Amino acid sequence: MRKTVLYIVVPCYNEEEVLPITSGLFLGKLNELIGAGKISDDSRVLYVDDGSRDRTWEIIRSLAAQDRHFAGIQQSRNRGHQNAVLAGLMEAMEKCDAAISIDCDGQDDVNAMDGMIDAYHDGCEIVYGVRANRDSDSLFKRITAEGYYRLLSFMGADVVFNHADYRLMSSRALREFSQFREVNLFLRGMVPLVGFKSTCVSYDRTERRAGKSHYPLRKMLRLAFDGITSLSVRPISLVAVTGLVIFLLSLIGILWVLITALCGSAVPGWASTACIVFLMGGLQALFLGVIGVYVGKIYLEVKGRPRYIISARTGEEGETEAGKEEK
Ligand code: UDP
Ligand code: MG
């Protein structure tokens, strides 16, 4: 039987500090799996440089020059973590039997890969890495993260609890996934939609080995918001239901106004009128905003822009440079 070719897909953005530390970690794991006969010697660690501004790409190139188990692709500009992971997975799709995506900062325990490969050999097409605990997170992050997973499932989005982007996907799952043409990416919510036999492997998440997080609160909120609006149309139905309730309440209000007027006890009610005007104005603005978010997304999807553009590959540098010189 042909041995499994595994690609470990690692997105990197301005990671010059941490790359030299964790490259050994990934290569060590790869060699260990090769040695144990679980995967083929053609397996690779595939780095995706997400348009870094520091020495990240140089480091990836020198790693690829040192050991054939390292490879890299570079995105033409920074497109964010989700796009970088997608670029790597699509690059790996035709070359591998299975791909595991993992962050480059060493926070996710590489030893969980054994379990993932075993599950793959047992016939699973997708294996989700699930955090056993959130001890390495601040209390704030823990509470908001768990609340967020609950909110997502309330909104009808099918996400795996406490799973981020550490997962194995078979080439078959990847090929099906490549047909998801959307531009607003929230991989952890999209992958479960592929279906197939899947399972979870739990692991401990530790602190970053070096460097600092590229996910400040602002980016995290954006990802969270993207997750809901990309996966669920429930906010629209909630808006519709609220609108209906307000409409029914206003009918009762009108009835009350009519009765008061007929009884001749109408008061010069400027305050109540003004309140209602403000309330309605505010609500309408809010609702239009929510609808606008979706319209914006439709707009982006309709454009059908490419979701990533690869500007270079390791091993092809000569050609690229030559191409440039000709021009
Ligand atoms: N990353 C990326 N593009 C970005 C931001 C981050 O490819 O625009 C990568 C980053 O190099 C790392 C992973 O995404 O491998 C997760 O980022 P980070 O560790 O900063 O996030 P955190 O773990 O703090 O949520
Ligand atoms: Mg991290």
Side-chain angles (χ1 to χ4, degrees):
M1 198 186 82
R2 199 172 78 98
K3 278 199 189 140
T4 307
V5 176
L6 175 74
Y7 267 58
I8 301 177
V9 172
V10 191
C12 314
Y13 177 55
N14 293 344
E15 299 283 11
E16 60 181 6
E17 282 176 51
V18 84
L19 268 183
I21 304 173
T22 54
S23 60
L25 215 63
F26 296 134
L27 185 64
K29 190 76 222 170
L30 204 71
N31 281 328
E32 186 191 316
L33 289 167
I34 294 170
K38 288 189 179 185
I39 58 171
S40 145
D41 192 38
D42 293 328
S43 298
R44 295 280 181 275
V45 177
L46 176 68
Y47 285 107
V48 184
D49 172 22
D50 187 18
S52 300
R53 263 173 280 233
D54 62 0
R55 292 186 51 255
T56 299
W57 181 238
E58 277 94 88
I59 297 172
I60 293 173
R61 280 171 59 172
S62 79
L63 285 171
Q66 279 161 32
D67 193 313
R68 67 181 188 87
H69 292 108
F70 285 118
I73 57 174
Q74 183 188 37
Q75 293 216 85
S76 58
R77 50 160 289 203
N78 180 243
R79 294 291 307 272
H81 172 240
Q82 300 285 297
N83 291 72
V85 173
L86 181 74
L89 291 177
M90 292 300 108
E91 175 76 9
M93 181 170 73
E94 298 298 339
K95 298 175 182 155
C96 71
D97 298 309
I100 294 178
S101 50
I102 185 168
D103 290 353
C104 76
D105 54 12
Q107 284 191 280
D108 301 321
D109 183 10
V110 289
N111 292 318
M113 289 189 191
D114 295 70
M116 290 186 179
I117 298 286
D118 290 343
Y120 168 74
H121 286 142
D122 284 345
C124 289
E125 305 280 347
I126 302 173
V127 188
Y128 301 98
V130 173
R131 297 176 66 166
N133 61 59
R134 285 190 167 264
D135 293 348
S136 65
D137 281 353
S138 64
L139 185 68
F140 173 75
K141 181 144 185 193
R142 218 178 308 165
I143 292 173
T144 48
E146 301 207 338
Y148 179 62
Y149 280 104
R150 296 225 163 78
L151 180 65
L152 267 179
S153 76
F154 168 73
M155 290 290 180
D158 183 16
V159 286
V160 179
F161 200 70
N162 272 345
H163 159 70
D165 283 301
Y166 185 19
R167 75 178 83 77
L168 177 145
M169 290 178 79
S170 70
S171 58
R172 184 173 170 210
L174 285 173
R175 269 195 293 278
E176 298 304 333
F177 187 65
S178 68
Q179 297 185 44
F180 286 59
R181 309 293 333 166
E182 62 213 74
V183 190
N184 294 288
L185 296 177
F186 187 65
L187 297 176
R188 69 191 75 165
M190 289 158 64
V191 172
L193 300 175
V194 177
F196 292 131
K197 187 175 168 194
S198 59
T199 187
C200 297
V201 167
S202 77
Y203 69 96
D204 289 323
R205 193 166 151 116
T206 48
E207 301 287 341
R208 229 174 198 280
R209 299 291 166 112
K212 58 178 188 336
S213 171
H214 301 288
Y215 265 98
L217 188 64
R218 177 178 55 83
K219 266 198 190 172
M220 213 132 68
L221 285 177
R222 197 167 65 200
L223 182 71
F225 195 66
D226 257 0
I228 294 176
T229 49
S230 299
L231 291 169
S232 162
V233 285
R234 194 137 179 197
I236 291 192
S237 26
L238 289 180
V239 164
V241 169
T242 318
L244 186 69
V245 169
I246 290 175
F247 175 67
L248 292 175
L249 287 177
S250 72
L251 283 185
I252 296 172
I254 290 167
L255 210 65
W256 168 69
V257 170
L258 282 179
I259 292 171
T260 322
L262 285 177
C263 295
S265 57
V267 287
W270 177 84
S272 56
T273 316
C275 283
I276 289 168
V277 169
F278 282 136
L279 182 72
M280 295 311 291
L283 282 173
Q284 279 178 1
L286 176 70
F287 293 174
L288 276 177
V290 175
I291 291 168
V293 170
Y294 283 95
V295 173
K297 294 210 162 190
I298 294 169
Y299 173 65
L300 286 176
E301 298 294 347
V302 164
K303 281 199 206 204
R305 286 179 181 149
R307 294 175 297 177
Y308 57 86
I309 300 167
I310 292 162
S311 59
R313 287 184 169 80
T314 54
E316 285 181 7
E317 264 106 49
E319 283 167 39
T320 327
E321 294 303 319
K324 262 187 212 152
E325 275 160 26
E326 269 168 36
K327 283 179 197 151

